[in-house]
Amino acid sequence: MVTCPRCGGKSRDQEFCDHCNADLMPPSRTPPPAVCPLDSEGPLQLTAEQRATLTRPEAGVTVRAPNQSWRLHWIPRGAWATRRAGVEERGRYRGNVLPPCRIVPDQNGVWLLAEAWSPQPPPWLLPPARDPLDEARRLAAFLDVLATALGELHAQGLVWLTFDPRDLEFLPASAARPAPRLRFTNLDLAVYPRGRCPDRLHVNVKFAAPEICRFRACDLGPATDVYHLAVFAYYWLARLLPGGFFGAGLEAFGFALPPLRTFAPALPPALAAAVNRGLAVEPAWRPPTPAAFCAEFRAALQTAEKRATSSAPVRWDLGVHTRPGRAKAALNRPNQDYALLRRFDGPPRALLAVADGISTCDVGSGDVASRTACAVLEQAFGPPSSLASFAKAVTAACRQASRGLLDWALRNGHRQQLAEGLDLMGTTVTAAWLEGNCLALANLGDSRAYLIDAAGAEQLTVDGDLGSALLAAGVPPEDVREAGPMARALRDCVGGCSRGPGGEPTVNERYCTPAVTTWRLLPGDFVVLCTDGLVEEGVFLDPAALAELLRRHKDLPAAALAVKLADAADALQRPPGPLEPDGFGDNISCIVIKVLGAARG
């Protein structure tokens, strides 16, 4: 491991930092002088630490002189020949976002002095707002400032290829300065014209756009900085700034960023879609400019605000359907899914749930687990139940169901098997409570809830699998991808057990406590609760296909829509045959909530 002198991170790569891509090759043999001449402000004595930092030209130190702060770079005479053209080209550009620089020759090299502002804490390091919408508003305000700065750069034909939020100088608004300002501090030594791949480029691999990493010069332009802006927004909402993901950078996992909701479970709907459009791998699929990206984000924020503040009365049409799926049915295997729908009157309310029993257990069976979980849920709710009591009641029910499955196993003589580490039956659960225009969701495992509106389908739940848990804990995405199918293993579910201090089988409540969120619904919305036999990207339906089917058949009743969705997923299954004795398929369950405007009269 090597310690990067620029960012302080530990790097496995001996040449370029894993974190900021700084050059880790041995520093110049020509150390900077102990004194930097500042012309009219006189000489400045440097500390040993500052001189050590300045052994690399791209590294700078900020110092305070009597009248001005300066960022200093030292370029030894041997390096000046290769750096000179870039530095002089940089000097020909002007603007508020590029700090004024001047060259000061010295005996053994050249000083580059850039005007600097006094350090200010960046807004993304402030504690997050309690209301996710307030946090999104803070982000939108800063995105506007950053997009304006990037627009000024683009107006001069330049692109910020070395995008890194740590290299922003920030001046907040004040009485004398009504608008905040930004400057790019890692463009002191060189600037980057659009359409040109430089020979020497130190990028931050946690932000660098695909076309930079793939050396596609013709694609380098304003849309490149749109990608940078979108990654910045992603990291802000995921609370990953300023460093981004741990690991080797975006290219290491093919620029396929995990769902933003993995890191921000309460993220208001619509925002992730706006961010994802800016993250498109192909520049042509992104908004064309940072200003256009900000406009789309603002529009998404307005949609989210409208949803969050809506008090429009609604009614619902509910439909439920479950089936084994034709592959399992051909083998006469039971349906290990279970679907629950129970309505309450005065006022109208509903309890809904889908459960997908785990088929690979050693003790018990998936169908028993899913049926038991839904039975306990149904018993836990009655006419007095309400939105306010949902979180407490559903949590207690999931824990009770887990204890009930363990009790069943112990009553039926499986204590020794469990003590030896064999797997107890378990099930996913995604439960919902409908009341007025509010939807509360509780989920364990990888059964999901999707909101479908005019913008498309958005997953409202976070999969309770190992991969999601590892990502949320900071494991690099490429390492999670390397885990392959193991990353899909369930971490959270109703059921399963662990061994207590004495080896006695016990329920670990940490893994059977559901995540609970609350959302508002608007007329025209659809919500789909489903097991992975209905929606699984690349296997059965994907979210886009789900949305398209619902849009195409929106006039059907919810019950017919549930059947229509199941038919579409079932059509993608393959029955058993000589090449696939078990066929290819899974049990299918879905509940459709069709949100309607209040009845007239």
Side-chain angles (χ1 to χ4, degrees), residues 380-429:
F381 290 85
S385 299
S386 67
L387 184 70
S389 63
F390 175 75
K392 184 176 180 180
V394 76
T395 299
C398 289
R399 293 173 177 175
Q400 180 185 341
S402 288
R403 289 192 293 269
L405 295 178
L406 177 57
D407 290 344
W408 178 95
L410 297 177
R411 286 197 309 271
N412 286 276
H414 297 291
R415 183 183 302 273
Q416 186 59 37
Q417 290 174 281
L418 297 178
E420 292 171 357
L422 296 185
D423 290 330
L424 173 64
M425 59 184 163
T427 181
T428 72
V429 170

Side-chain angles (χ1 to χ4, degrees), residues 64-151:
R64 177 69 188 174
N67 301 316
Q68 171 70 50
S69 291
W70 298 93
R71 190 170 45 260
L72 311 180
H73 301 270
W74 168 250
I75 307 174
R77 179 177 296 170
W80 178 238
T82 57
R83 297 273 186 177
R84 181 171 184 170
V87 171
E88 291 181 344
E89 181 185 31
R90 158 65 170 86
R92 291 193 289 271
Y93 288 91
R94 296 288 185 269
N96 293 327
V97 297
L98 295 174
C101 296
R102 72 174 192 257
I103 298 170
V104 178
D106 208 330
Q107 183 175 358
N108 294 315
V110 169
W111 289 100
L112 184 67
L113 281 58
E115 289 185 8
W117 291 331
S118 299
Q120 300 287 337
W124 60 80
L125 293 183
L126 296 173
R130 288 188 176 184
D131 183 345
L133 272 174
D134 285 339
E135 188 64 20
R137 293 182 188 106
R138 286 173 51 190
L139 167 60
F142 192 82
L143 287 177
D144 288 341
V145 178
L146 183 48
T148 299
L150 288 169

Side-chain angles (χ1 to χ4, degrees), residues 243-331:
F245 293 121
F246 287 101
L250 304 176
E251 190 177 24
F253 49 92
F255 300 95
L257 277 72
L260 181 50
R261 195 169 299 285
T262 302
F263 305 96
L267 183 72
L271 299 182
V275 173
N276 288 340
R277 200 163 112 72
L279 291 172
V281 172
E282 292 299 326
W285 299 345
R286 305 171 198 152
T289 65
F293 172 79
C294 288
E296 291 193 13
F297 188 84
R298 284 279 185 187
L301 179 56
Q302 290 174 1
T303 299
E305 290 171 334
K306 176 183 175 182
R307 178 178 295 281
T309 57
S310 173
S311 58
V314 302
R315 54 194 174 94
W316 339 286
D317 180 21
L318 308 177
V320 58
H321 183 80
T322 184
R323 66 175 71 170
R326 60 187 180 128
K328 304 290 187 184
L331 297 168

Side-chain angles (χ1 to χ4, degrees), residues 179-496:
R181 290 179 56 194
L182 295 177
R183 292 200 301 200
F184 309 123
T185 67
N186 62 353
L187 297 180
D188 293 343
L189 297 173
V191 289
Y192 305 104
R194 62 183 299 175
R196 185 199 306 176
C197 277
D199 296 331
R200 185 184 186 93
L201 185 66
H202 297 288
V203 299
N204 184 336
V205 293
K206 311 301 177 59
F207 288 87
E211 55 268 30
I212 297 175
C213 299
R214 295 169 182 174
F215 304 100
R216 293 181 351 208
C218 61
D219 287 334
L220 298 179
T224 301
D225 280 330
V226 169
Y227 187 92
H228 296 149
L229 209 58
V231 176
F232 174 84
Y234 179 105
Y235 287 151
W236 179 306
L237 294 169
R239 304 303 297 174
L240 292 173
L241 286 175
F245 293 121
F246 287 101
L250 304 176
E251 190 177 24
F253 49 92
F255 300 95
L257 277 72
L260 181 50
R261 195 169 299 285
T262 302
F263 305 96
L267 183 72
L271 299 182
V275 173
N276 288 340
R277 200 163 112 72
L279 291 172
V281 172
E282 292 299 326
W285 299 345
R286 305 171 198 152
T289 65
F293 172 79
C294 288
E296 291 193 13
F297 188 84
R298 284 279 185 187
L301 179 56
Q302 290 174 1
T303 299
E305 290 171 334
K306 176 183 175 182
R307 178 178 295 281
T309 57
S310 173
S311 58
V314 302
R315 54 194 174 94
W316 339 286
D317 180 21
L318 308 177
V320 58
H321 183 80
T322 184
R323 66 175 71 170
R326 60 187 180 128
K328 304 290 187 184
L331 297 168
N332 294 316
R333 293 180 180 169
N335 185 357
Q336 302 199 35
D337 285 1
Y338 197 91
L340 167 67
L341 168 56
R342 186 180 178 191
R343 294 178 173 88
F344 302 95
D345 294 324
R349 290 152 295 147
L351 172 69
L352 314 95
V354 294
D356 181 358
I358 300 169
S359 60
T360 56
C361 57
D362 303 306
V363 176
S365 64
D367 57 314
V368 171
S370 61
R371 188 169 61 249
T372 299
C374 287
V376 173
L377 272 173
E378 188 169 14
Q379 292 168 6
F381 290 85
S385 299
S386 67
L387 184 70
S389 63
F390 175 75
K392 184 176 180 180
V394 76
T395 299
C398 289
R399 293 173 177 175
Q400 180 185 341
S402 288
R403 289 192 293 269
L405 295 178
L406 177 57
D407 290 344
W408 178 95
L410 297 177
R411 286 197 309 271
N412 286 276
H414 297 291
R415 183 183 302 273
Q416 186 59 37
Q417 290 174 281
L418 297 178
E420 292 171 357
L422 296 185
D423 290 330
L424 173 64
M425 59 184 163
T427 181
T428 72
V429 170
T430 294
W433 180 263
L434 273 172
E435 185 173 321
N437 69 342
C438 289
L439 170 75
L441 290 172
N443 75 291
L444 287 165
D446 60 2
S447 294
R448 298 174 177 174
Y450 287 94
L451 171 68
I452 297 92
D453 60 11
E458 181 167 355
Q459 186 176 334
L460 297 179
T461 51
V462 177
D463 291 350
D465 55 20
L466 178 62
S468 296
L470 292 173
L471 288 167
V475 174
E478 62 269 26
D479 290 354
V480 175
R481 186 171 74 167
E482 187 72 20
M486 181 61 70
R488 296 292 312 277
L490 292 187
R491 176 180 179 270
D492 303 328
C493 67
V494 167

